Amino acid sequence: MLENQLNNLEQIPFAEGYSSPHYHNVIAGPCSAETEKQVRDTAIALCNIGIKVFRAGLWKPRSSPSTFEGVGAKGLKWLIRAKEETGMLIATEVATSEHVKLALDAGVDVLWIGARTTTNPFVTQEIADALNGEKDTIVLVKNPVTPDIELWIGALQRINNAGIKKLGAIHRGFSAYGNHLYRNMPQWRIAIELKRRFPTLPIFSDPSHMGGKRELVPTLSQQALDMGFDGLFIESHCNPCTALSDARQQLSPSELKTMLKSLIIRRTTRSTDNIDNLRQEIDRCDDELVEVLNKRMTISREIGIYKKEHDIKVVQTNRFDEILRKRVNQASQLGMSAKFMEAIMSVIHEESVRQQVDILSRSKDIDQQ
Ligand code: PEP
Ligand code: MN
């Protein structure tokens, strides 16, 4: 088996490209199953708007032990009744090997592994072991709470190594300390990098846990579709204000319907699209960029040699402040984002420092070779 691979992936039936008005690839349902009535009412309302996969958490990984931690195994029969009544597939979160066994025995169709679980390779491996031999089960793996793509990939591989081929990922954002607009930072580039490395792995976007507030869900959903993700994983409750967990971020089924109808589904480019000229221009710009960066690094290394010969410290913060101020101002005047320029200049400076430190730490013998 090759390392860093996902083997024999098979198509997941509800991840075949976003399509309206049937929403085949929208997984929706309450954060938690609370009562049989709440599960039934929500499932029927979601089925009526065209949802095909119903989610509901039974075992809830909550930060505080004094909050609602789910109804546990007794909710399984509510989910199965909802499945029988509506024909929807049923999805729930599993965090232990016992959950896997209970959910599969009951007839749950889709299992997902939550962000806190993905963070822990021991627990993920236990779940993988429990899934061994269950090769037709659909398993979706959420990103870990920390922005660590290797940990996410490792969890996907553990499940795949257990023989699971109907595998998908869920991008739910990454936690950050302090108050922010988003409950979990999207850090889209991590999910895009996962897509680049595993182009056939379906990736769902979870705008509910990313946004943490229902009003952010439409914009995040649109962004996810625009970035080419394969489906949406959204919390919806028949009466969101009364929800026992994540009340602030859940949409009612009718709000969900309105939102899904408002999403714009853009297509991928075709050979007939006339953007080739612009792409060629972009390629030329990138070419120049690399050349200029190379020139800058060469000069920076020359400065490194001078600093070494004259015992000068590598980092001169005044000089960096000056560079930063000048370029951020220039960018702002051109209508570019100051934040973007600050990030670019910081990365360039970091690389210059790394190269100069490297020169300073080389022994004289190497320099003379
Ligand atoms: C959930 O989907 O209900 C959940 C607990 O999500 P996460 O693992 O992303 O926090
Ligand atoms: Mn939730």
Side-chain angles (χ1 to χ4, degrees):
M1 196 166 296
L2 286 170
E3 265 182 57
N4 275 320
Q5 285 288 330
L6 293 173
N7 298 300
N8 308 318
L9 292 186
E10 281 177 10
Q11 185 73 51
I12 296 178
F14 48 88
E16 287 164 350
Y18 191 85
S19 60
S20 175
H22 300 297
Y23 312 124
H24 286 293
N25 38 6
V26 177
I27 301 168
C31 177
S32 303
E34 298 164 3
T35 64
E36 177 158 17
K37 182 172 165 16
Q38 168 253 5
V39 168
R40 184 172 183 271
D41 289 354
T42 310
I44 291 174
L46 290 173
C47 178
N48 287 341
I49 67 165
I51 301 298
K52 303 284 187 280
V53 189
F54 180 73
R55 63 146 282 159
L58 298 172
W59 301 281
K60 300 301 300 174
R62 306 302 302 282
S63 302
S64 162
S66 57
T67 51
F68 174 65
E69 293 192 295
V71 295
K74 82 167 187 219
L76 281 165
K77 56 181 182 302
W78 307 340
L79 301 190
I80 300 307
R81 275 184 210 137
K83 170 176 162 167
E84 286 162 0
E85 204 168 335
T86 62
M88 285 192 279
L89 297 181
I90 296 296
T92 203
E93 173 172 350
V94 289
T96 67
S97 51
E98 179 71 3
H99 298 163
V100 173
K101 192 173 169 334
L102 289 166
L104 293 181
D105 286 351
V108 172
D109 308 281
V110 181
L111 306 181
W112 85 80
I113 297 183
R116 292 157 194 79
T117 307
T118 308
T119 307
N120 186 332
F122 289 127
V123 183
T124 316
Q125 188 57 50
E126 255 179 57
I127 293 173
D129 293 342
L131 282 164
N132 217 318
E134 305 288 349
K135 59 180 176 38
D136 291 322
T137 309
I138 301 172
V139 182
L140 307 176
V141 181
K142 287 201 172 196
N143 65 256
V145 285
T146 45
D148 183 343
I149 192 171
E150 301 307 331
L151 199 52
W152 196 2
I153 293 172
L156 286 158
Q157 283 171 334
R158 286 174 197 278
I159 304 300
N160 184 233
N161 289 347
I164 301 296
K165 294 177 236 152
K166 293 187 178 126
L167 188 62
I170 303 173
H171 173 221
R172 50 77 86 188
F174 303 89
S175 62
Y177 185 69
N179 283 330
H180 300 274
L181 172 64
Y182 299 113
R183 178 178 174 192
N184 290 294
M185 304 296 130
Q187 304 226 36
W188 297 103
R189 68 204 144 95
I190 298 179
I192 290 168
E193 174 62 9
L194 187 73
K195 189 87 187 150
R196 192 188 67 74
R197 279 165 68 173
F198 304 102
T200 58
L201 177 78
I203 306 185
F204 290 80
S205 178
D206 175 346
S208 309
H209 289 90
M210 238 180 243
K213 304 174 195 76
R214 67 180 61 81
E215 55 277 18
L216 295 178
V217 172
T219 311
L220 287 166
S221 301
Q222 185 65 60
Q223 286 176 345
L225 293 189
D226 290 347
M227 287 187 219
F229 294 120
D230 303 274
L232 298 170
F233 187 89
I234 301 184
E235 286 189 340
S236 176
H237 188 291
C238 56
N239 193 356
C241 301
T242 65
L244 298 180
S245 59
D246 289 352
R248 209 37 204 94
Q249 70 194 31
Q250 305 204 56
L251 302 177
S252 69
S254 79
E255 285 165 341
L256 178 64
K257 180 181 178 188
T258 309
M259 184 203 79
L260 291 174
K261 273 171 78 174
S262 76
L263 293 178
I264 301 165
I265 295 138
R266 296 182 229 271
R267 56 185 177 78
T268 39
T269 55
R270 287 193 288 252
S271 53
T272 47
D273 281 321
N274 202 12
I275 55 173
D276 281 1
N277 291 345
L278 291 172
R279 283 190 167 156
Q280 277 168 18
E281 250 181 79
I282 286 277
D283 284 347
R284 278 194 293 274
C285 287
D286 287 348
D287 204 55
E288 281 173 33
L289 257 176
V290 175
E291 294 292 337
V292 171
L293 282 173
N294 184 41
K295 191 168 164 194
R296 193 185 192 283
M297 285 304 156
T298 309
I299 300 171
S300 181
R301 277 194 296 273
E302 276 173 34
I303 295 179
I305 292 167
Y306 183 89
K307 284 179 179 167
K308 181 175 186 177
E309 285 169 0
H310 296 83
D311 285 332
I312 300 174
K313 284 181 189 161
V314 166
V315 180
Q316 312 276 322
T317 48
N318 309 349
R319 170 68 182 143
F320 181 50
D321 279 351
E322 180 198 323
I323 292 178
L324 206 57
R325 213 173 321 112
K326 208 161 161 184
R327 298 308 158 195
V328 165
N329 275 342
Q330 184 184 4
S332 302
Q333 275 164 18
L334 290 169
M336 289 166 79
S337 147
K339 231 171 150 185
F340 167 68
M341 190 47 62
E342 196 178 320
I344 296 267
M345 292 315 295
S346 301
V347 174
I348 293 175
H349 182 252
E350 204 178 300
E351 177 60 12
S352 291
V353 169
R354 195 185 66 75
Q355 300 236 6
Q356 293 188 3
V357 167
D358 189 48
I359 289 170
L360 260 71
S361 61
R362 259 193 259 152
S363 77
K364 288 222 160 57
D365 305 347
I366 296 176
D367 282 347
Q368 280 155 10
Q369 274 170 17

